[in-house]
């Protein structure tokens, strides 16, 4: 994919989070536990939503897709990162690096846009409760999920192709724990101005559109809540939106910190720490945020664990 006059590198070396040997095993244990919690939490949330008929609603349809994206998101990054802690030579082939970057971009953009779809769902649920089931039809829900997946795949394919058409003819050590755009661009001996312009354009369109949809949705939601006369109604509305607000704040806040910090304070070490948060920690936090704050999910999970006796136990607990 590189220019014909370029002697292309066949592999890259991932530097990882740290080069201090005494820290690698403790970090391996910590991130292995985080990864197992992430996989168990997200797959468990998907299973609970799929098996409990009470959760077959648009809100939980979006939530199950978010859990799927989080599972894929972290599984693209974390296993390789764990391997870096264990092995001295952390080599990744040229093609494998391209695949990892493409998958990473696909799921990151998907999560960003799915959060916007979920904001619209909450807007309809609170501002038009009587028309909710009509407006949020199964067909529309599928479109609101398929559009982020399709768009993110095309964006990821475009950027991955641009990145790996560049010439990497000198250093091949990526100062990161996975194949990411910015560290790769520091290694190329090609002109990257066009690529950087496309990164800014696509990232700006995606991020700004997602944030605008979320903000506009919550402006209308806030207005609807303030007009409610019942304190109980306001409490339920806040409870319905609370988990989503927390998830959006954490995800977008991390991206803003990473990409909008002043260039004078910008460094790859800072990028690594921020990347750990949104590729490893956030996928672990999301199922906790949505389950611990959601009575329906907690009841469904308790019923799934307890089996046939679940309903009887739930009735006793409610009494």
């Amino acid at each position: 994919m590189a220019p014909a006059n370029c002697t292309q590198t066949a592999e890259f070396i991932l530097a990882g989070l740290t080069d201090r040997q005494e820290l690698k095993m403790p970090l391996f244990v910590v991130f292995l536990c985080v990864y197992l919690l992430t996989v168990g939490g997200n797959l468990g949330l998907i299973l609970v939503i799929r098996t409990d008929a009470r959760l077959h609603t648009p809100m939980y349809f979006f939530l199950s897709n978010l859990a799927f994206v989080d599972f894929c998101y972290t599984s693209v990054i974390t296993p390789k990162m764990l391997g870096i802690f264990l092995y001295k030579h952390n080599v990744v082939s040229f093609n494998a690096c391209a695949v990892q970057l493409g998958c990473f971009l696909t799921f990151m953009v998907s999560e960003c846009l799915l959060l916007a779809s979920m904001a619209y769902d909450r807007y309809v649920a609170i501002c038009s409760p009587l028309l909710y089931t009509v407006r949020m039809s199964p067909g529309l829900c599928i479109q609101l999920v398929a559009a982020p997946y399709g768009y993110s795949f095309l964006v990821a394919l475009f950027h991955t192709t641009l990145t790996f058409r560049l010439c990497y003819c000198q250093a091949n050590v990526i100062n990161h724990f996975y194949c990411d755009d910015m560290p790769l661009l520091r290694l190329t001996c090609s002109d990257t101005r066009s690529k950087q312009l496309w990164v800014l354009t696509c990232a700006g369109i995606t991020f700004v559109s997602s944030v605008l949809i979320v903000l506009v949705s919550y402006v209308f939601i806030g207005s609807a809540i303030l007009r409610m006369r019942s304190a109980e109604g306001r409490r339920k509305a806040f409870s319905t939106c609370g988990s989503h607000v927390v998830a959006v704040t954490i995800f977008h806040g991390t991206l803003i910190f990473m990409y909008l910090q002043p260039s004078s304070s910008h460094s790859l070490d800072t990028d690594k720490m921020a990347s750990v948060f949104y590729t490893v920690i956030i996928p672990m936090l999301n199922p906790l945020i949505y389950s611990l704050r959601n009575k329906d999910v907690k009841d469904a999970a308790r019923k799934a664990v307890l089996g046939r006796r679940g309903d009887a136990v739930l009735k006793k607990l409610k009494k």
Side-chain angles (χ1 to χ4, degrees):
M1 290 188 292
N5 60 348
C6 173
T7 303
Q8 190 69 278
T9 183
E11 60 188 25
F12 295 101
I13 299 173
L14 294 171
L17 277 177
T18 180
D19 56 0
R20 295 176 60 182
Q21 292 298 323
E22 69 273 16
L23 293 178
K24 288 189 175 182
M25 189 51 65
L27 287 174
F28 170 81
V29 174
V30 169
F31 283 110
L32 177 61
C33 293
V34 170
Y35 180 60
L36 293 176
L37 284 173
T38 303
V39 171
N42 284 290
L43 292 184
L45 185 58
I46 293 171
L47 182 63
V48 166
I49 292 172
R50 297 296 185 193
T51 55
D52 195 305
R54 295 172 298 176
L55 302 183
H56 292 176
T57 64
M59 181 177 79
Y60 294 108
F61 173 72
F62 291 119
L63 182 55
S64 65
N65 277 277
L66 183 68
F68 170 74
V69 167
D70 281 334
F71 165 71
C72 296
Y73 195 14
T74 193
S75 295
V76 168
I77 304 297
T78 309
K80 184 63 181 177
M81 181 177 68
L82 293 174
I84 294 174
F85 291 132
L86 295 180
Y87 304 111
K88 292 183 178 179
H89 302 289
N90 305 298
V91 176
V92 58
S93 70
F94 187 86
N95 291 333
C97 192
V99 170
Q100 187 183 50
L101 175 62
C103 292
F104 163 71
L105 291 175
T106 298
F107 294 119
M108 183 179 73
V109 176
S110 293
E111 175 141 355
C112 187
L113 297 178
L114 275 174
L115 290 171
S117 295
M118 294 172 75
Y120 176 75
D121 170 69
R122 294 299 80 209
Y123 155 73
V124 177
I126 292 175
C127 296
S128 303
L130 298 179
L131 298 175
Y132 178 64
T133 55
V134 176
R135 293 182 61 178
M136 296 302 296
S137 63
L140 179 60
C141 291
I142 291 173
Q143 290 175 28
L144 290 174
V145 167
Y149 286 149
Y151 173 80
S152 62
F153 174 77
L154 293 176
V155 168
L157 180 63
F158 176 69
H159 280 289
T160 303
T161 302
L162 285 182
T163 299
F164 286 88
R165 282 180 61 87
L166 300 173
C167 186
Y168 299 91
C169 54
Q170 298 175 358
N172 69 337
V173 179
I174 302 174
N175 188 14
H176 217 312
F177 58 92
Y178 65 94
C179 294
D180 195 12
D181 252 344
M182 292 301 108
L184 279 166
L185 292 182
R186 297 194 180 201
L187 301 181
T188 182
C189 43
S190 301
D191 185 359
T192 62
R193 285 175 295 181
S194 175
K195 163 66 180 177
Q196 290 176 339
L197 180 61
W198 278 113
V199 168
L200 289 173
T201 302
C202 292
I205 291 172
T206 303
F207 181 78
V208 171
S209 61
S210 175
V211 170
L212 279 177
I213 291 171
V214 172
L215 288 178
V216 171
S217 296
Y218 276 101
V219 166
F220 284 104
I221 289 171
S223 177
I225 291 175
L226 291 176
R227 291 197 303 269
M228 291 180 180
R229 297 180 179 180
S230 167
E232 179 67 15
R234 288 195 296 269
R235 186 191 67 79
K236 288 183 178 180
F238 279 120
S239 176
T240 300
C241 299
S243 298
H244 182 255
V245 171
V246 172
V248 167
T249 302
I250 292 174
F251 183 78
H252 286 103
T254 304
L255 293 182
I256 290 172
F257 169 79
M258 182 170 178
Y259 293 108
L260 296 185
Q261 59 181 307
S263 58
S264 58
S265 63
H266 190 82
S267 71
L268 281 177
D269 289 334
T270 304
D271 286 354
K272 286 183 185 180
M273 295 303 102
S275 297
V276 166
F277 196 77
Y278 74 75
T279 61
V280 180
I281 304 301
I282 288 178
M284 178 193 70
L285 291 178
N286 278 344
L288 295 176
I289 292 170
Y290 282 101
S291 60
L292 294 178
R293 294 178 57 88
N294 191 304
K295 183 176 180 297
D296 292 336
V297 172
K298 287 190 290 186
D299 288 349
R302 195 177 291 118
K303 179 182 176 182
V305 172
L306 296 175
R308 294 180 178 179
R309 300 174 61 186
D311 285 332
V313 174
L314 287 176
K315 289 178 181 179
K316 290 182 180 179
L317 289 174
K318 288 178 180 178
K319 292 178 180 179

